[in-house]
Amino acid sequence: MKEKKILLLLIACSLLLSGCWDESEPERLVYANGLGVDYKDGKIIIYMQIINLSGLAQSEGGGGGATSKADVGRAEGKTIEEATFNLYHTLDRRLYWGHLSFVVLSEEAIKAGILQQAADFIDRYRETRYRMYFFVTQDSLKEILLMNPIESISLAFSKLSDPDANYRQSSFIEAINLRELIIDLDEPAHQAKLPIIKLSNQWSAQDEPRKEPLIESAAVVSDHKLIGILPKHIMNGARLVNKNFARDSVSLSSNKNTTTSVLVYDKKVKIKPVVEKNGKVRFHIKMKLNANAQTMTEKKKRKELENELKQAIHNEVYKTYHFTRKKGIDIFKLSQVLYRDNNKAWKRIQKNGEIPLEEDTIKSLSLDIKFKNSGKVKLTPLFDEEEKQ
C-alpha cells in the first residue's frame, strides 16, 4: 500500500513539470554565422550570413561531405535593430544568434561611429557570446560573406570564424573579439586595432576562380571612430611587440642578389617606463626571442646572422613607432604600461587617458636573439666555418 502511494505521488509531481514544450528544435532554426554592417545615405545596411550546421558535423566526423555554402540576406534601417527586424520578416524560421562568429564593418560604418552601436547591440542580446571577432573592410560586404573556404571545409572553420588557427602559424595581425573590443574602447587610453579584410585572388579552383580573405593591414579605432589605417609595411613592427605573438618570418635581404629569411618564435617582451630627472617619461623595451634560419643563399656566421636580425627588428619597430606616433596612435600601448607601472606619473602627464609620445619616447630597444637551428638540420654545417675557428 505504501509503494502505491509513493507511485501516485511521483505521477502527480510529473504532471507539474513543464518539460521543453516551449523550446525550438535545432532542425527548425536557421543559424547566423556572420554579420556585415554598412552605412550609406544615412541608413544602416546589414548583411546576415546563414549557414547549414550539417556541414560542420561532417567536417568534425572526418568525412568530406557536401560543399559548405552560405546564404546572405540584406536589410536596412535607421538602426541595426530596425534593420535586423526587417530581415526577420523575410526568414522562413526563427534566427538563432548563438553561433554568430564574426562581424565585418565597412570603412564607412566605422567613420560614422556605427561600431559602438554594433558592439552595444550584440553585447545586450542574450544568445550571443563574447568569442566573436570584429573586422573592417573596404571591399564588398556581400562578396566577403559569400566566400567559401578552400577545401570545402565548413564555414564555421573559416579564417573569419576561427582566425586563431591561422594566427598561430603566422602571427601578423591578431583578430580582436567582442570582449577585447569592449575593453579597448571603454577606457580613455585604449585604442582598438581591427584587422582589415581584403578580397584576394591568390587561390584558384579547378572549375572556377576563388576569392579568399587577405589580412595585411589594420584599422585603429578610438572612441568608436576611425583614427588611422596601418598598411602592411607598418604592421611588421607592431607584430613583434604583440603579447600573443607565436611565430612569423622576418626578411634580412640586404640586396637583390642575396636572400636571407629567418623564423622568429618564443618571443618575450618587457616594456619598462623610466621617469627622468626633468619629469619626462621614456621607455626601455627588452625583447628576447629564438630564431631558425629558413632561407640562405650565401654562407653567414652565427654572429653575423644575429646582428642582421637585430638590425631588421630594430628598423621595423622604430619605423612603426614613428609612423603611428605622428597619427596619434599608441601602437605599443605605452599609456597602458605607464598607467599600471607608475600611476602617479601617468596622472601627471596624461590627457584624456593618453600620454604624449615624442620622437625619443622609446629610450632603448634591447634585443636578445638565439639561433636554435637551420631547419631540419642542426646548426652545423650551417655555422661549420665558425666552429672551426
Side-chain angles (χ1 to χ4, degrees), residues 198-243:
K198 181 180 178 181
L199 291 170
S200 169
N201 296 314
Q202 294 179 227
W203 290 87
S204 300
Q206 290 182 341
D207 55 347
E208 60 182 7
R210 181 180 292 279
K211 292 184 178 181
E212 289 295 327
L214 173 64
I215 298 177
E216 58 181 11
S217 57
V220 181
V221 180
S222 182
D223 194 24
H224 296 274
K225 293 185 178 181
L226 181 68
I227 61 174
I229 291 180
L230 306 181
K232 180 180 179 180
H233 68 278
I234 296 301
M235 294 307 300
N236 283 332
R239 58 179 171 167
L240 296 168
V241 185
N242 193 322
K243 65 178 181 179

Side-chain angles (χ1 to χ4, degrees), residues 314-332:
H314 184 279
N315 293 341
E316 288 183 357
V317 170
Y318 275 94
K319 182 178 180 180
T320 298
Y321 171 74
H322 291 305
F323 181 92
T324 55
R325 175 186 65 86
K326 294 176 182 178
K327 291 183 173 291
I329 299 172
D330 186 3
I331 192 67
F332 300 142

Side-chain angles (χ1 to χ4, degrees), residues 11-291:
I11 294 174
C13 290
S14 65
L15 296 175
L16 300 176
L17 298 176
S18 61
C20 299
W21 60 271
D22 60 340
E23 292 295 323
S24 299
E25 298 178 13
E27 64 270 16
R28 296 179 180 271
L29 301 174
V30 290
Y31 296 90
N33 185 63
L35 175 67
V37 182
D38 198 1
Y39 182 80
K40 188 177 182 181
D41 298 331
K43 290 186 177 181
I44 294 176
I45 305 169
I46 67 166
Y47 296 86
M48 182 68 70
Q49 183 193 73
I50 307 296
I51 65 171
N52 186 346
L53 293 185
S54 62
L56 175 63
Q58 291 171 345
S59 297
E60 290 183 340
T67 301
S68 175
K69 293 185 177 181
D71 292 321
V72 176
R74 179 189 183 279
E76 61 181 48
K78 295 180 180 179
T79 64
I80 295 179
E81 183 182 18
E82 181 180 318
T84 300
F85 273 84
N86 289 336
L87 188 64
Y88 287 160
H89 300 161
T90 66
L91 289 172
D92 297 311
R93 304 297 305 178
R94 175 176 175 261
L95 178 69
Y96 182 68
W97 289 78
H99 289 286
L100 187 66
S101 300
F102 65 89
V103 179
V104 185
L105 294 100
S106 68
E107 186 177 347
E108 290 75 16
I110 294 291
K111 290 179 179 179
I114 306 301
L115 178 60
Q116 180 178 9
Q117 184 182 149
D120 184 72
F121 171 76
I122 295 172
D123 186 34
R124 290 177 184 274
Y125 199 56
R126 61 183 178 83
E127 289 182 352
T128 57
R129 300 169 294 175
Y130 284 98
R131 193 183 175 276
M132 72 178 66
Y133 300 95
F134 280 73
F135 302 90
V136 178
T137 187
Q138 298 169 323
D139 292 336
S140 167
L141 285 168
K142 182 178 179 181
E143 287 190 58
I144 289 174
L145 294 179
L146 284 173
M147 284 189 301
N148 287 319
I150 59 175
E151 283 297 308
S152 300
I153 63 175
S154 171
L155 282 160
F157 297 141
S158 71
K159 189 173 185 177
L160 302 185
S161 300
D162 184 23
D164 288 342
N166 178 265
Y167 183 76
R168 287 193 295 269
Q169 186 171 37
S170 177
S171 305
F172 191 56
I173 299 177
E174 186 178 20
I176 182 171
N177 60 38
L178 178 59
R179 173 185 169 275
E180 295 165 339
L181 181 66
I182 293 173
I183 292 174
D184 282 350
L185 294 178
D186 283 355
E187 295 294 331
H190 289 200
Q191 298 173 345
K193 185 177 66 193
L194 281 70
I196 295 178
I197 302 171
K198 181 180 178 181
L199 291 170
S200 169
N201 296 314
Q202 294 179 227
W203 290 87
S204 300
Q206 290 182 341
D207 55 347
E208 60 182 7
R210 181 180 292 279
K211 292 184 178 181
E212 289 295 327
L214 173 64
I215 298 177
E216 58 181 11
S217 57
V220 181
V221 180
S222 182
D223 194 24
H224 296 274
K225 293 185 178 181
L226 181 68
I227 61 174
I229 291 180
L230 306 181
K232 180 180 179 180
H233 68 278
I234 296 301
M235 294 307 300
N236 283 332
R239 58 179 171 167
L240 296 168
V241 185
N242 193 322
K243 65 178 181 179
N244 295 321
F245 177 91
R247 48 169 266 167
D248 207 9
S249 177
V250 177
S251 176
L252 309 182
S253 301
S254 55
N255 56 65
K256 296 181 180 180
N257 298 324
T258 61
T259 301
T260 304
S261 63
V262 299
L263 179 72
V264 295
Y265 60 99
D266 288 347
K267 176 202 61 81
K268 296 179 181 178
V269 173
K270 185 176 182 181
I271 303 177
K272 183 71 176 177
V274 176
V275 181
E276 299 181 338
K277 293 181 180 179
N278 58 3
K280 188 175 182 177
V281 178
R282 301 174 71 188
F283 294 84
H284 292 291
I285 299 179
K286 293 184 178 181
M287 187 181 301
K288 184 177 181 181
L289 52 85
N290 293 329

Side-chain angles (χ1 to χ4, degrees), residues 355-369:
I355 64 173
L357 299 178
E358 301 176 2
E359 188 172 354
D360 61 346
T361 297
I362 297 180
K363 189 173 184 177
S364 66
L365 174 59
S366 175
L367 298 170
D368 182 6
I369 297 173

